[in-house]
Amino acid sequence: MIVRIMGEGQVEIGAADIDVLNTLDVELEAAIESDDEDVFRTKLHALLEKVRQVGKALPDDSLEPSELILPPADASIEEVREMLGDTGLIPG
């Protein structure tokens, strides 16, 4: 799966890593639902860091279609709330 982190670039994520990302996504959603800014910020950073950790960065000149777009680390709780779909930021 090709994932774009807004403002950073694209990474390729293996199918085996989706479950751990989904767990972090659920925790992020819970923080958004409870409107807890501190927990939201911690969970967003944890999710993005895990994507960077498990993903293989694509070259900057690569223009692969992104299957998933994640907000930047400095996104507000409202901005991320607007990006949430029925299954959170990460489907599955």
Side-chain angles (χ1 to χ4, degrees):
M1 169 185 287
I2 304 296
V3 177
R4 173 175 298 284
I5 299 175
M6 295 170 66
E8 290 186 34
Q10 293 179 302
V11 295
E12 187 170 4
I13 303 293
D17 295 310
I18 298 299
D19 285 343
V20 70
L21 296 178
N22 272 322
T23 299
L24 293 168
D25 187 36
V26 168
E27 293 171 2
L28 177 63
E29 281 185 88
I32 291 170
E33 288 174 14
S34 67
D35 215 26
D36 188 326
E37 180 70 34
D38 292 334
V39 174
F40 160 75
R41 186 74 37 215
T42 299
K43 297 303 180 180
L44 176 59
H45 285 232
L47 174 63
L48 296 176
E49 186 56 36
K50 182 56 85 173
V51 168
R52 292 181 199 107
Q53 181 184 47
V54 301
K56 176 185 169 214
L58 297 179
D60 289 337
D61 61 351
S62 175
L63 293 175
E64 300 294 323
S66 299
E67 298 171 68
L68 178 62
I69 298 175
L70 296 177
D74 63 351
S76 72
I77 198 168
E78 277 305 315
E79 290 170 324
V80 177
R81 184 177 281 130
E82 290 175 12
M83 293 179 72
L84 289 176
D86 293 339
T87 59
L89 291 172
I90 300 174

